[in-house]
Amino acid sequence: MEINWYPGHMARAKRMLAEQLSRVDVVIELCDARLPLSSRNPDLMKLTERKERVLLLGKSDLADSAVTAKWLKVFRAQGIACMALDMNKQAKAALSLIDGAAKEAVERARQRGIKKTVRALVAGVPNVGKSTLINRLHGGNIAKVGDMPGVTKSNQWVKITPYLELMDTPGLLWPRLDDPLAARRLAYISAIRDEVLDTAHLSVQLLTDLIAVAPNAVQERFKIKDLSLRGPELLDAVCQGRGFLMKGGAFDTDRACKVVLDEFRGGKLGRITLEAPQDGRASEETYDEQA
Ligand SMILES: Nc1nc2c(ncn2[C@@H]2O[C@H](COP(=O)(O)OP(=O)(O)OP(=O)(O)O)[C@@H](O)[C@H]2O)c(=O)[nH]1
Ligand SMILES: [Mg+2]
């Protein structure tokens, strides 16, 4: 499945983000703990490479904690200051990481007799929880949040403490999502709008990928008896298992598609990470592209 989606507003958002960089002390990159590889935007990493950076693995409540621990180890070995967070419960823990990254700038200002206000921007692919992080740190609903990509439309500075300001930014993808594996994984976590996707194909791919990493959870949740099935037959099996039948007894595959995507996204299958540290970006094809 080709996903070629880089709407004009994203090119504009990237330009606006680049314009703010000179005013910023720290870049907070937020990715999704279920996809610590594919939900990191290489374009964004390049753009911010000269800044102090921290990496947050958000939605850690939806990811497998043992795999998350492995990822943190890998990132730390690369010298990346990072942390995994359930944003609804632990967002404030990010403050220590931000303080650490801003330490030198704060110290330089102190030597000039100035108490510095640290400015950090929060960036990442769509729907990873950037605005949620800002709301939790601010303590109110100052930034608009929603479970779909593209909720934040423009940059917004928010004062967190007298000496810390964070900038919320629109989610950014990169112009050529030329790695189909990364692209479809981004679609699984709603970083790409469902409207531009073939959701029937996507849900079959998701089922196939889930069978590879969490077969028991798939079997239990979707009542698929034969996990060796591939392609559209998987959706038929979900219809059969879950009783999704239309009048006359035909399978309601549209419903099965929606349920598969919604239930994975909502964590109904349990805590699942789709990428382990040893996985290459495009090296791990677990499904038939023609399915
Ligand atoms: N389970 C869980 N859900 C989260 C977490 N963080 C954010 N969410 C949910 O994820 C969805 C997206 O959150 P947002 O804060 O709007 O994401 P965003 O990165 O600002 O998205 P865009 O502005 O569209 O790029 C919302 O439904 C949040 O409630 C988390 O740590 N765990
Ligand atoms: Mg947002």
Side-chain angles (χ1 to χ4, degrees):
M1 177 170 55
E2 275 277 312
I3 301 175
N4 208 340
W5 193 63
Y6 190 67
H9 74 77
M10 252 183 221
R12 196 173 137 256
K14 186 180 157 191
R15 270 199 311 278
M16 285 183 349
L17 187 146
E19 281 164 19
Q20 292 292 327
L21 276 181
S22 61
R23 305 184 56 209
V24 162
D25 305 293
V26 177
V27 172
I28 303 164
E29 181 192 350
L30 182 54
C31 72
D32 188 309
R34 293 167 295 176
L35 289 181
L37 204 57
S38 301
S39 70
R40 296 190 69 197
N41 179 342
D43 221 15
L44 195 64
M45 287 192 261
K46 182 103 189 76
L47 191 69
T48 60
E49 66 190 351
R50 289 170 189 278
K51 307 299 295 187
E52 287 293 333
R53 292 185 292 190
V54 302
L55 174 64
L56 301 179
L57 282 66
K59 307 201 184 187
S60 66
D61 53 310
L62 300 177
D64 180 329
S65 54
V67 186
T68 301
K70 285 187 195 161
W71 274 113
L72 291 174
K73 217 169 144 187
V74 168
F75 290 135
R76 285 180 186 138
Q78 294 169 5
I80 300 172
C82 58
M83 185 180 273
L85 293 171
D86 169 356
M87 229 43 97
N88 291 314
K89 294 198 180 132
Q90 307 159 307
K92 291 220 155 70
L95 291 173
S96 63
L97 216 57
I98 301 169
D99 280 352
K103 210 167 153 193
E104 280 182 22
V106 169
E107 180 54 23
R108 276 197 305 276
R110 195 189 64 78
Q111 283 170 6
R112 287 186 282 125
I114 300 165
K115 184 145 173 62
K116 185 177 170 51
T117 295
V118 171
R119 292 191 177 82
L121 73 77
V122 184
V125 300
N127 203 42
V128 281
K130 300 175 294 297
S131 304
T132 304
L133 165 69
I134 289 180
N135 281 341
R136 295 289 175 269
L137 293 179
H138 178 264
N141 291 326
I142 193 150
K144 195 172 164 198
V145 161
D147 198 6
M148 62 189 83
V151 172
T152 303
K153 306 281 187 220
S154 56
N155 296 339
Q156 179 189 5
W157 281 105
V158 175
K159 209 171 186 58
I160 304 297
T161 72
Y163 298 103
L164 177 63
E165 290 178 13
L166 295 190
M167 189 174 85
D168 194 10
T169 66
L172 285 182
L173 293 169
W174 50 107
R176 285 188 63 226
L177 277 171
D178 46 8
D179 175 354
L181 183 63
R184 78 171 195 264
R185 286 176 172 173
L186 286 166
Y188 297 159
I189 61 163
S190 285
I192 299 173
R193 283 175 51 195
D194 279 347
E195 288 78 358
V196 302
L197 302 165
D198 173 351
T199 50
H201 193 186
L202 188 71
S203 58
V204 169
Q205 292 176 322
L206 175 57
L207 279 170
T208 312
D209 286 350
L210 287 172
I211 287 171
V213 291
N216 294 342
V218 174
Q219 203 147 37
E220 252 172 56
R221 187 77 203 173
F222 299 123
K223 316 286 180 214
I224 298 176
K225 290 202 187 89
D226 179 3
L227 290 182
S228 68
L229 291 174
R230 287 294 172 270
E233 285 182 348
L234 277 168
L235 287 180
D236 292 346
V238 174
C239 291
Q240 197 160 33
R242 294 279 292 265
F244 297 156
L245 303 175
M246 295 189 290
K247 266 193 197 144
F251 290 144
D252 189 350
T253 45
D254 286 351
R255 180 156 176 218
C257 282
K258 189 169 170 358
V259 165
V260 167
L261 290 168
D262 285 354
E263 294 193 351
F264 168 72
R265 290 167 177 170
K268 295 278 177 16
L269 282 89
R271 300 176 62 164
I272 296 174
T273 305
L274 289 165
E275 292 170 336
Q278 67 273 17
D279 293 348
R281 219 177 192 145
S283 63
E284 191 215 19
E285 293 295 317
T286 55
Y287 73 107
D288 173 11
E289 274 282 356
Q290 304 310 314

